[in-house]
Structure formats: C-alpha cells, structure tokens
Amino acid sequence: MHLAPRVLRRAVAAATIALLATAVGCAPQPEDKASDKASGSTGTTCAKGKLATQTSGKLTIATDEPAYEPWFEDDKPANGKGFESAVAYAVAKQLGYDKSAVVWQSVPFNKAFAPGVKTFDFDINQVSISTERKKAVDFSSGYYDVRQAVIALKGSKAAKATGIAGLKGLKLGAQVGTTSLNYISDVVKPTQQEAAFSKNDQAVSALKNGQVDAIVVDLPTAFYITSAEVTNAKIVGQFENQGGTPEQFGLVLDKGSDLTSCVTSAVDALRKDGTLAALEKQWLSDAVDAPVLK
C-alpha cells in the first residue's frame, strides 16, 4: 500500500527525530568537575530527615570498638560526649535527624574504608582522607585538620629526640592501616622494621612494656594518652603536614553513596557557622601545641 505524500513526510520526520534522540542519548556527555568535590551523587535531594538511609527515618553511624577518648567518652559513642560523638550528632541534626533517630554500629577501623558494600550511612573514626582510600569509599569534606605525634616514655632515648634523625634508629609502632604508620615508614624511614598493631591500645601496651621505643598517634590522642593512660610518657613532638594540603579526617560513606553530597554539605555548614571550631575547642582544647619534628 502506498502512503500519501503528506503522511510519508510525517513518517520520515518522526523517524528523523527518533534517530536524533537516540544519537544524543548515546553520545558522550560533558563531565562535571566531580574531582573538585566530594565523591558520590550530586543529584540527591537532601530533604531533612528523609534521606535514602539504611533504615528509613533513621541515620546509622559507625565507629570502632573501643571508642577512644578524646574522640568519645566512656567508650559510649551514643552519649554525645567527645569530639567525634558531638560532631556526629551535629551532622545528624543538620541532616534532619534528632538524637533519637541515630543508630550506632560497631565497625573495625580497617573495615570502614575497605572495599565492599557498607551497612552504615557514614562512619566517623579518625579516618584520614586519602587518594588511595577514595578508590574504595566516599568521603565527606574534612571535619578536623590533624597532625601526627610521637610518644615515648620519659627518660628514654626516644624522649630525647629533637628531630626525625633522632628517631631513625628506634623501634617505632602504630596502628595498622593508619596514617600514623605511614608517617613512620614514609617520613621517619627507621632502620628497624616498624611494629603494626591492630588497635591503638595494643600499641600503648607495647610502649609500656618496652616492646617499642615510641609510638605514633594523632596529636589529640597523644595528649590524652600522656595525661590519662601512660602518665610516665611524654609527647616527643609532632610532624609537619606532608604536601600542600593538611591531613584531614573525613566521614566515610559507601562508594557512590547518594548521601555523600548531603553529608558534605552538612559538614561544610558546620565549619562555616563555627560549630566545628566550637566543638574542637570544647573537646580537644589540650591539643594546642607540641614541638615540631623536622
């Protein structure tokens, strides 16, 4: 059957439009500058209290066990005491979840940023943002600028070190998977093999027992350890930040999480309005100064 000329023209036009639509859909689209932002979806609507969380209406936050001071108090993340507990609840509030809607979960430090699907909405556990870790997980923007510090028993050879050179011949230790351990291997480059411990308290015990000459932890933890856990120890000094940007702790999210942009916006808002600075002053006021090791 032959089509009338007008019908034929309409059919050809419709086919042409369909082909153009298909071509546009298959053509490479311009990439946004995702590398300049926190990773994850940027198209999510951050409706207060209505995010696509693990459990509807709840916000699941993870951290390690035990939860150390000064980041948490009394090993109870849910009590709102300690810097990271306070930050977690401040972020939750910014996202539209009150304290009763927050559910805490225990996740080992290394597992938090290991590849694989997460069972939490975000993890807060002194996890430093790094390019390597970003391959497996998303991070929020940084909520704390941190430096690493060296602790040694008073009167020991390590305690007398005034620079990196004085640490090179010592047995040093730190928690596995941390930037603290990286500073030993990459910055100090000791002549003895560094000791890696699965938990910070194991590193502290090794220091007490003389199994290591010194340990490396973040500066606030160093102040807490020397004031409350090992009172016959001292902070030898702190390392300068390596590279052009400071080391920062970030909240950890599942790779490609729809929540990443919302959580990042919450952290940014807390930094902008002075909340993070106020919480840092309240909970980490002792971590103000220590000699710089060069």
Side-chain angles (χ1 to χ4, degrees):
M1 182 177 68
H2 297 286
L3 295 174
R6 182 177 295 178
V7 175
L8 184 59
R9 284 198 299 271
R10 286 177 180 174
V12 170
T16 302
I17 291 170
L19 285 171
L20 286 172
T22 302
V24 171
C26 296
Q29 300 299 303
E31 294 182 0
D32 60 14
K33 296 181 180 179
S35 60
D36 296 334
K37 305 174 183 178
S39 50
S41 172
T42 56
T44 303
T45 300
C46 303
K48 297 282 187 179
K50 297 181 180 179
L51 303 182
T53 54
Q54 294 284 335
T55 302
S56 181
K58 300 286 185 180
L59 188 67
T60 303
I61 305 176
T63 195
D64 202 354
E65 185 180 5
Y68 298 104
E69 297 191 28
W71 311 105
F72 301 90
E73 276 197 5
D74 303 322
D75 193 19
K76 296 177 180 178
N79 64 14
K81 298 178 180 180
F83 179 69
E84 289 193 327
S85 180
V87 168
Y89 281 117
V91 171
K93 183 179 180 181
Q94 196 75 25
L95 294 172
Y97 297 88
D98 60 27
K99 194 170 183 179
S100 64
V102 173
V103 178
W104 285 90
Q105 185 181 98
S106 175
V107 173
F109 179 81
N110 276 344
K111 190 174 180 180
F113 51 86
V117 177
K118 307 306 177 192
T119 56
F120 51 78
D121 294 312
F122 69 77
D123 178 278
I124 183 167
N125 190 24
Q126 307 113 66
V127 182
S128 295
I129 301 169
S130 73
T131 301
E132 186 63 29
R133 289 172 178 170
K134 281 183 177 180
K135 294 176 183 178
V137 294
D138 281 356
F139 280 96
S140 70
S141 52
Y143 62 86
Y144 180 69
D145 297 352
V146 65
R147 285 194 175 191
Q148 300 298 319
V150 179
I151 302 174
L153 298 179
K154 295 175 181 177
S156 67
K157 181 180 178 181
K160 298 173 184 176
T162 58
I164 293 173
L167 301 171
K168 286 189 179 292
L170 304 178
K171 182 71 173 179
L172 306 176
Q175 184 176 346
V176 69
T178 61
T179 50
S180 302
L181 192 61
N182 292 342
Y183 267 73
I184 295 176
S185 58
D186 299 340
V187 179
V188 179
K189 300 177 181 177
T191 55
Q192 297 188 56
Q193 178 67 41
E194 63 267 17
F197 303 93
S198 60
K199 299 278 188 180
N200 251 347
D201 55 358
Q202 293 176 355
V204 171
S205 294
L207 178 66
K208 288 180 180 178
N209 299 331
Q211 295 170 279
V212 293
D213 297 309
I215 61 174
V216 178
V217 296
D218 58 78
L219 188 56
T221 298
F223 275 98
Y224 173 73
I225 290 173
T226 54
S227 64
E229 292 189 329
V230 192
T231 54
N232 64 329
K234 63 171 285 188
I235 297 174
V236 179
Q238 61 178 307
F239 294 107
E240 292 181 302
N241 280 316
Q242 303 300 301
T245 56
E247 178 184 349
Q248 292 185 314
F249 291 157
L251 304 177
V252 182
L253 300 96
D254 202 357
K255 186 68 177 174
S257 172
D258 287 338
L259 302 182
T260 302
S261 60
C262 300
V263 173
T264 288
S265 294
V267 172
D268 290 344
L270 294 173
R271 184 178 291 279
K272 186 176 181 179
D273 70 12
T275 299
L276 290 181
L279 293 178
E280 184 177 331
K281 183 177 180 181
Q282 179 182 357
W283 297 107
L284 305 178
S285 58
D286 288 338
V288 292
D289 195 21
V292 176
L293 300 167
K294 296 182 179 181

